[in-house]
Amino acid sequence: MRDGLMTFTQEAMHFINGEFTPGTSGKTFDNISPVTGKKIGIVHEGLKPEVDAAVKAARAALHGPWGYMPMAERAELLHAVADEINRRFDDFLEAEILDTGKPKGLASHVDIPRGAANFKIFADLVKNVPTESFMLDTPDGFGALNYGVRKPKGVIAVISPWNLPLLLMTWKVGPALASGNTVVVKPSEETPLTTTLLGEVMNTVGIPKGVFNVVHGFGPDSAGAYLTAHPQVDAITFTGETRTGEIIMQSAAKGLRQVSMECGGKNAGIVFADADMDKAIEGTLRSAFANCGQVCLGTERVYVERPIFDEFVSRLKQGVEMMKLGPSEDPETSMGPLISQEHKEKVMSYYKLAVEEGATVVTGGGEPDMPDEYKGGAWVQPTIFTGLSENARCIKEEIFGPVCHIAPFDTEEEAIKLANDTEYGLATAIWTENLTKAHRVARQIDVGLAWVNSWFLRDLRTAFGGAKHSGIGREGGVHGLEFYSELTNVCVKL
Ligand SMILES: NC(=O)c1ccc[n+]([C@@H]2O[C@H](COP(=O)([O-])OP(=O)(O)OC[C@H]3O[C@@H](n4cnc5c(N)ncnc54)[C@H](O)[C@@H]3O)[C@@H](O)[C@H]2O)c1
Ligand SMILES: O=C/C=C/C=C(\O)C(=O)O
């Protein structure tokens, strides 16, 4: 690890107006390794003064070089941010796996590359996506020209979660900056490092000070709540639990701030008897267990057509029992720990509840026997349940761990009804080689994202987001630009 990174990971500071600062609260909290349970370093907690300073810097930057920078120059700078993330790939990789304990292979193929891609895609889109224009006929015959002009919304509050820290934070900062806004980011208290490291990149690349700011802390009575309540914040983009989103929306209501909400899910996988079984098994192993099951798009409910139910359960069990739990650096590791002891207690409480609710434990359901050096980590066994009723809490509530429940179905209509019987509406994965059926079923599932014979296959130009309790609005492609812009219609009488 580069020396500077070692120091940096031992003390995560705020990044305000182009400078790293411990702030004035004097409060810090420990950054704990999910792998060992040992302290990695400390994080400075930001309170109202730090949030005020960051929002003030962000607003000032809107009226400085960033505010009048031509779009093409802005886009070039964002490409340079992406290039610098790639140049410091190993530093971001080191920081991300320190914070999360996720397998190095996963972080190096998903999290870090997307950190760069999320800047490139929006730097290109903002230059190429048109607005609108209409010619209006008028009684005098000369007409009137209408055209749309996209302008930045202003100062954007970015509140991000701990499961894909760099990916999900840059998925917001990319389009926000591409659209000419400035941001104040409050990363999750569980994963401060890569967001802080991005501050170094912004300075290296020459993003004007105040454009990108980071304030660490928690939600209530801390940086998160102060930021979302700040009157000089023009819009809020949030990814996290639905109940947190509800609280933030209440805060946003004062001053009518727009919100973008990416929240929880209880996603269904639907496996038809005519599925390619190898694909369905491989895809379900990823969608239920990747990132230790800590992916909002993951399938915690799997519905399998009855003729292949037993074979599917047996093969998924086989795949789960071949998984190797271990530290990020071990190339053999297929699954790391959960993010924290607190989250482990939540997941373990659901493992216990499932059995109380009548589940059959096909595999897992407890804690793995880890080597002594990892015993303090947040390790749980990857788990498969069957036999629960559709009214069980473990079928209704998001667990957000390496666990899925498999149930049989007999008809297409039944599968659709089962999949839709949830308050969430984020994602689904449908496995069938009959593509007519795939198209028919996909559009009947009440979600924002439907994958067919695939999962987490991402085209960044497409709409991304959830329905029902899974969120409000869409990120990705032009949808990202729309949220981060104010559109003015200019009407010129000719
Ligand atoms: N839909 C998606 O794209 C998506 C993506 C990733 C995660 N998620 C969801 O996120 C959850 C896991 O992430 P999490 O545990 O970090 O979520 P969380 O809601 O606990 O926290 C998310 C962020 O909100 C902050 N926060 C908490 N309370 C706040 C408040 N009152 N005011 C302002 N900020 C506050 C936290 O500090 C953190 O930075 C799961 O429910 C998962 O489904 C959804
Ligand atoms: O855990 C949730 C994952 C979200 C993924 C994205 O927002 C994305 O791939 O753009």
Side-chain angles (χ1 to χ4, degrees), residues 159-160 162 186 189 224 238-241 244 262-264 296 398:
I159 309 274
S160 48
W162 47 255
K186 209 296 290 175
E189 53 278 19
F238 166 76
T239 295
E241 292 198 11
T244 309
E262 297 292 352
C263 296
C296 60
E398 178 183 59

Side-chain angles (χ1 to χ4, degrees), residues 159-164 168 171 186-190 217-228 238-245 247-248 261-265 294-297 343 346 398 400 424 426 464-466 470-471 475:
I159 309 274
S160 48
W162 47 255
N163 63 319
L164 303 169
L168 288 168
W171 185 232
K186 209 296 290 175
S188 173
E189 53 278 19
E190 302 289 358
F218 303 90
D221 304 318
S222 190
Y226 293 127
L227 180 58
T228 52
F238 166 76
T239 295
E241 292 198 11
T242 298
R243 62 183 174 185
T244 309
I247 294 167
I248 290 174
M261 290 274 147
E262 297 292 352
C263 296
Q294 299 167 126
V295 182
C296 60
L297 305 162
H343 190 52
K346 172 183 170 183
E398 178 183 59
F400 215 55
Y424 292 107
L426 188 52
F464 182 100
S470 290
E475 299 182 309

Side-chain angles (χ1 to χ4, degrees), residues 280-294:
I281 291 292
E282 186 280 331
T284 307
L285 282 172
R286 281 191 304 118
S287 67
F289 301 100
N291 205 42
C292 201
Q294 299 167 126

